[in-house]
Amino acid sequence: LGMGRNVFIFPEGTRSVDGKLRDFKGGAFTIARKSGCRIVPVTLIGNDKVFPANALMPIIPGGGVMKMIVHPPIDPAGKNDEELSALTKAAIASGLPQDKILEPVAT
């Protein structure tokens, strides 16, 4: 990060087996807060079909359609890890179909 590199982190700690949004781990938010790097939330829809959690590479070309929604960046300045997690989760959930959200998400 200090060298201007981008990092892609799945805040759930793994890829979803069924495409549903799960609880987030805290590490990504600690990294963002301590480094001052903005978080760019990304919603992935259909990745559970195209790139299952148990696969090392995407399976069967045309096995599904994946959609990616890039949300506005979140500035970590003045926010704690819990606030960053909640803002990120709300942004990601806003792009998901309702059946892919397991629990109410604070907005």
Side-chain angles (χ1 to χ4, degrees):
L1 292 173
M3 297 174 64
R5 305 277 191 223
N6 295 316
V7 177
F8 193 93
I9 298 174
F10 288 90
E12 298 159 301
T14 186
R15 295 191 314 256
S16 175
V17 177
D18 56 9
K20 293 184 179 179
L21 187 62
R22 307 278 183 205
D23 289 334
F24 287 179
K25 311 281 190 238
F29 308 105
T30 300
I31 291 168
R33 182 178 47 77
K34 288 185 175 183
S35 68
C37 291
R38 295 180 302 159
I39 297 168
V40 180
V42 176
T43 301
L44 299 175
I45 303 168
N47 56 307
D48 54 310
K49 307 275 187 296
V50 176
F51 197 175
N54 63 351
L56 293 175
M57 298 295 288
I59 60 168
I60 310 172
V65 175
M66 189 168 121
K67 180 179 178 182
M68 179 171 73
I69 302 169
V70 180
H71 301 279
I74 298 169
D75 187 346
K79 298 174 186 73
N80 63 34
D81 292 1
E82 292 77 24
E83 291 168 321
L84 291 171
S85 177
L87 289 168
T88 303
K89 192 168 196 175
I92 292 170
S94 74
L96 286 173
Q98 200 60 38
D99 67 325
K100 297 296 183 185
I101 303 169
L102 290 178
E103 59 193 44
V105 177
T107 55

